[in-house]
Amino acid sequence: SVDSFGSAYVAGDANVGFGQGAVRVNAFSESLGNHRDAYGGRRFGINPTVGAQLGERFKVQLGYEYVRDDRVVDRGIPSAFAGTLATPAGPLTGFRNVFFGVRGVNDTGFEAHMLRLRTEAKLSDSLTLSTQALYGDYDKIYSNAYPATAVTLGPVGPIVGIEAYRDLSTRKSFIVQSNLEWRVATGGIDHIVLVGAEYTGQDSTSERRTGFFDPLVGSAANRRRTVALANPVVIPPVFFIAGPAGNGNRSVTSKLKQTSFYIQDQIGLGDKIDLIAGLRYDRFDLGVTNLFTAEKFARIDNLWSPRVGVVFKPVPQASIYVSYSKSFLPQSGDQFTSLDATLAALEPEVFNNYEIGAKWDIKPNLSLTVAAYRLDRSNTRAAGPVAGTTVLTGQQRTTGFELGLTGRITPQWQTSVGYGYTDAEITQTTTAAPAGRRVAQVPKHQFSLWNRYDITQRFGVGLGLYHQSKQFATISNVTEVPTYTRVDAALFVKLTDRIEAQLNVENLTDATYFPVAQNDNNISTGAPVNARLTVA
């Protein structure tokens, strides 16, 4: 596969059988490129796996995976003036491709070694025991300079503030999961009983090194430089200072131990009703040590997560379901390294999810699905009545519905249509936002359409579009990322019975759009019209 930006991708999947087993090797190599001025990189991965059938009732797989990913860090463009994203007119007109970083500084490298083991034992005709285990060793460095402010008007023209940091992290993870599945009928009622256990051990280290624009002075005043908005953007040299002297630096180790047990029963009440009920227990044990201060913080949570659902099939071609589930998120950051004296005293956040939906097979290869849901998030941190204290009174609610149509309308015409409506807001004030704020990066409306029509047995065409309504870049609701619609097309050619070619053209109308944002001043820009040719 190659594209019009100069990136290239090659992947292979080879299998060799021997007796009652096989060796399979998946591998890929990719050079990266896009429309941005300084973007580039390389990725490589290989995954050899050996699998064998040992006797009539036992299977085993053992695999190793290596991944290497080196690329330019590109956080996009800043917003403008009071935070409004200025497009297509305004001070950032023409800056879709401009790199707001430093060549040689904005780089990330990731390397991973993973071992996987899978076994399956057929203990009887109704009883199956399966086990999966993974060991991973991960090493990552992430370094960048980025826009830290919106574009504002300086004495001689538009300016933007630049800051920088470098993150170094390592992690070793071990995960093992075993499931016992029992299929049994009692009194004319069918049961699929699942009993399982899981253990996760994760040891991580991470250090953030602040970037300064003076190698001798590690003060807050030297963390930011204001530069002129220009093409190219010229940023002074950046110096990363290690150790506690760097303002805002942190260096921690974290040890996570999670032990889980769960049971689930899928009950078949005749041909029309299935009941699903399950309960999961998690013991979440986390310890974090600040390597600069030697402070240690710990938190243990014992969590019970129920799940229940009903599936009703009024006719063989249709089904209706209702479900409820509860889950938790400990107050220690998404990487489980942000534990301090305050967070260690707080209960986890709680998520209650309610969903109802239906599926209708209009014909054997064309299905219509619809679902409505509500997700309530509580135990979110909020400022306490006493200054400097924290209480768990914040709440957030997300409601929405999804509609999808997938399959073949005719033998030659394949389609995939999807629409989603999402309303997400803060319902009770948190430390991040007052009640009434919109949740970040959740557009209310999303619509996708893709059609493929095979004109002949060897030649087909595709046409589709993706639409996304406006959204806020962060919970501050200051920067608004505008609505966009992108049109894509494709050609499909079957060159021989075993070789196919595909040409994809993205953003056919060359629309200016912004698909995602990292924060109010790091907004990714969508690519102009581009093409990719793939041969398989």
Side-chain angles (χ1 to χ4, degrees):
S1 183
V2 295
D3 71 16
S4 53
F5 298 122
S7 65
Y9 177 89
V10 60
D13 179 0
N15 295 265
V16 178
F18 61 89
Q20 295 299 309
V23 175
R24 180 177 185 179
V25 179
N26 282 276
F28 79 92
S29 179
E30 182 175 15
S31 62
L32 303 173
N34 65 14
H35 62 292
R36 304 282 290 160
D37 284 344
Y39 187 73
R42 296 194 66 85
R43 301 171 63 225
F44 169 78
I46 187 167
N47 175 208
T49 302
V50 59
Q53 177 87 37
L54 304 179
E56 295 182 356
R57 294 182 174 272
F58 189 74
K59 298 177 182 178
V60 62
Q61 288 184 10
L62 179 63
Y64 164 75
E65 181 174 345
Y66 173 79
V67 177
R68 178 76 197 189
D69 188 327
D70 297 285
R71 64 178 69 192
V72 171
V73 174
D74 183 1
R75 298 272 285 263
I77 68 173
S79 56
F81 297 114
T84 302
L85 192 60
T87 69
L92 294 175
T93 300
F95 279 75
R96 175 166 64 180
N97 301 343
V98 175
F99 180 54
F100 284 78
V102 179
R103 295 175 187 268
V105 170
N106 287 57
D107 290 308
T108 182
F110 173 77
E111 186 173 39
H113 301 267
M114 290 162 281
L115 285 173
R116 289 186 176 91
L117 172 68
R118 297 179 182 179
T119 65
E120 181 181 301
K122 196 80 171 176
L123 304 180
S124 70
D125 292 341
S126 60
L127 204 59
T128 302
L129 175 65
S130 60
T131 299
Q132 301 182 68
L134 178 145
Y135 172 79
D137 188 330
Y138 313 96
D139 193 348
K140 181 179 180 180
I141 181 170
Y142 183 94
S143 173
N144 73 328
Y146 62 96
T149 70
V151 174
T152 57
L153 192 59
V156 294
I159 56 175
V160 62
I162 302 294
E163 293 183 5
Y165 69 87
R166 174 172 289 164
D167 272 350
L168 302 94
S169 58
T170 62
R171 174 169 297 161
K172 291 179 172 60
S173 299
F174 176 70
I175 304 170
V176 61
Q177 180 189 60
S178 288
N179 295 317
L180 183 65
E181 183 184 281
W182 183 32
R183 294 176 178 265
V184 63
T186 58
I189 299 175
D190 295 328
H191 296 264
I192 303 177
V193 181
L194 180 70
V195 180
E198 180 179 310
Y199 172 80
T200 298
Q202 176 177 292
D203 293 345
S204 304
T205 64
S206 64
E207 179 183 355
R208 170 162 293 196
R209 298 178 179 178
T210 303
F212 293 90
F213 294 94
D214 186 327
L216 301 178
V217 184
S219 67
N222 287 286
R223 290 185 59 189
R224 179 180 295 177
R225 281 292 183 267
T226 298
V227 301
L229 181 67
N231 186 3
V233 175
V234 179
I235 299 173
V238 181
F239 305 89
F240 296 101
I241 298 179
N247 182 33
N249 280 10
R250 68 174 187 268
S251 180
V252 300
T253 63
S254 68
K255 292 184 177 295
L256 168 65
K257 295 179 181 179
Q258 180 181 358
T259 306
S260 308
F261 301 96
Y262 48 89
I263 183 170
Q264 176 181 289
D265 190 4
Q266 181 175 326
I267 306 168
L269 303 177
D271 297 330
K272 294 185 179 296
I273 298 178
D274 286 338
L275 302 178
I276 300 173
L279 183 64
R280 178 184 176 106
Y281 164 78
D282 288 281
R283 176 183 169 87
F284 190 89
D285 185 345
L286 177 66
V288 174
T289 301
N290 185 318
L291 297 179
F292 292 155
T293 64
E295 293 178 288
K296 295 184 178 183
F297 307 98
R299 170 88 195 181
I300 297 177
D301 291 294
N302 296 287
L303 309 171
W304 293 91
S305 305
R307 176 193 180 200
V308 63
V310 180
V311 180
F312 173 58
K313 301 176 182 178
V315 295
Q317 297 82 17
S319 61
I320 301 169
Y321 72 91
V322 179
S323 70
Y324 163 77
S325 63
K326 184 178 184 178
S327 57
F328 300 87
L329 178 65
Q331 307 267 6
S332 50
D334 58 358
Q335 299 295 314
F336 307 121
T337 58
S338 301
L339 205 61
D340 55 25
T342 299
L343 297 179
L346 300 179
E347 297 288 329
E349 289 189 90
V350 180
F351 297 80
N352 288 286
N353 188 61
Y354 310 84
E355 188 168 341
I356 183 171
K359 180 182 179 182
W360 175 31
D361 293 328
I362 301 171
K363 52 185 184 178
N365 51 8
L366 184 64
S367 298
L368 176 69
T369 58
V370 61
Y373 60 89
R374 189 181 87 189
L375 177 63
D376 289 330
R377 180 176 185 174
S378 58
N379 265 16
T380 299
R381 297 192 296 272
V386 178
T389 63
T390 301
V391 292
L392 298 180
T393 59
Q395 296 182 13
Q396 174 183 317
R397 171 168 288 180
T398 302
T399 57
F401 71 89
E402 298 175 347
L403 184 67
L405 178 68
T406 305
R408 289 184 178 270
I409 297 177
T410 71
Q412 295 80 28
W413 181 10
Q414 300 177 49
T415 192
S416 177
V417 185
Y419 169 73
Y421 170 83
T422 309
D423 183 12
E425 69 173 4
I426 303 298
T427 54
Q428 195 161 317
T429 297
T430 71
T431 52
R437 284 265 182 93
R438 308 298 305 175
V439 176
Q441 298 188 51
V442 181
K444 278 194 173 183
H445 304 280
Q446 290 177 292
F447 176 78
S448 63
L449 168 66
W450 180 255
N451 291 284
R452 172 174 172 169
Y453 190 84
D454 293 323
I455 299 172
T456 69
Q457 290 186 344
R458 291 189 176 275
F459 183 74
V461 294
L463 185 65
L465 64 84
Y466 178 80
H467 173 82
Q468 180 172 291
S469 63
K470 64 183 180 181
Q471 58 181 313
F472 288 109
T474 71
I475 200 71
S476 72
N477 286 191
V478 171
T479 298
E480 186 176 275
V481 181
T483 299
Y484 75 88
T485 301
R486 194 188 74 214
V487 179
D488 303 329
L491 297 174
F492 307 92
V493 181
K494 194 169 185 179
L495 301 175
T496 72
D497 291 340
R498 302 181 67 175
I499 300 176
E500 295 181 354
Q502 178 176 330
L503 178 66
N504 289 83
V505 180
E506 185 182 80
N507 196 7
L508 201 61
T509 62
D510 201 22
T512 298
Y513 70 100
F514 303 86
V516 295
Q518 290 208 14
N519 54 49
D520 283 336
N521 298 300
N522 295 171
I523 297 108
S524 295
T525 65
V529 59
N530 64 93
R532 174 173 286 273
L533 176 65
T534 303
V535 178

